[in-house]
Amino acid sequence: MDSGKGYDLASSAPFPSELQPPPYPIIIPDCPTLGQTRMEQDRARGGGGEKESGNDLSEPFGYEWGESLKQAYEQAVVGMFGYMTDLDTVDVEDQCEVEVEGHDLDSLLFNFLDEFLFVFSTELIVSKEVEIVEFDRENFKIRAVGRGEPFDLDKHPQGTEVKAITYSAMQIMEKPEGERSEVFVIIDI
């Protein structure tokens, strides 16, 4: 994949210069927030940030961005944990380290999110902050640190369970320095 262009795995063709949501609605009948997007929930709580999540049907996707692709990847992980609980209730008391590899930027993003999901599933660590300390674009490797604390139902509200990361409609758009790079990921809930 050319590092300057995005790629739409669903159609195996380059996508336009701006990220596009999938052309089909994804309806989740058992979703407790049907009709309200995660972004609307965040705004109601006075939150917000460098992410948008969901659509008018509460589609489980993350649209994350940052000043660099590295920062967009970091925000993708934080956005995933934002589905699981209210990150305002998470203190930075613990940390976890992850190392992942891929064969292109898409598989690297998938594996990066999947590894943090695995750490949550095995150690219950909710990462409120994520820092990529090594981003090797030539060999498609990431070494990162997640900071947060173990999930505790007495302290953290239970959000939506994230079952898996998907490649469905995944899009990565890296832009020149000074413009924001963006990623779009659908998660299985």
Side-chain angles (χ1 to χ4, degrees), residues 63-111:
Y63 168 61
E64 320 296 337
W65 63 83
E67 293 180 16
S68 65
L69 190 59
K70 176 180 145 184
Q71 191 177 59
Y73 274 43
E74 293 167 344
Q75 288 297 320
V77 174
V78 173
M80 176 182 70
F81 283 112
Y83 272 106
M84 297 177 181
T85 192
D86 179 358
L87 293 179
D88 291 336
T89 66
V90 177
D91 294 321
V92 177
E93 296 178 356
D94 203 351
Q95 71 178 32
C96 62
E97 294 184 25
V98 300
E99 291 186 36
V100 297
E101 296 181 22
H103 59 273
D104 59 14
L105 289 175
D106 293 338
S107 65
L108 189 60
L109 176 59
F110 178 95
N111 293 340

Side-chain angles (χ1 to χ4, degrees), residues 81 84-86 89-90 120 123-127 148-159:
F81 283 112
M84 297 177 181
T85 192
D86 179 358
T89 66
V90 177
F120 176 77
E123 302 173 30
L124 295 179
I125 301 291
V126 176
S127 293
E149 66 181 337
F151 183 78
D152 179 356
L153 275 175
D154 292 333
K155 180 178 181 183
H156 308 114
Q158 187 171 359

Side-chain angles (χ1 to χ4, degrees), residues 1-4 69-70 73 104-105 108 134-141 174:
M1 180 173 94
D2 182 341
S3 63
L69 190 59
K70 176 180 145 184
Y73 274 43
D104 59 14
L105 289 175
L108 189 60
E134 183 181 326
F135 194 5
D136 183 345
R137 299 175 53 91
E138 290 182 21
N139 298 306
F140 302 108
K141 294 181 183 180
E174 183 173 20

Side-chain angles (χ1 to χ4, degrees), residues 12-29:
S12 298
F15 62 87
S17 62
E18 295 299 321
L19 289 175
Q20 301 294 319
Y24 49 87
I26 298 176
I27 301 171
I28 294 102

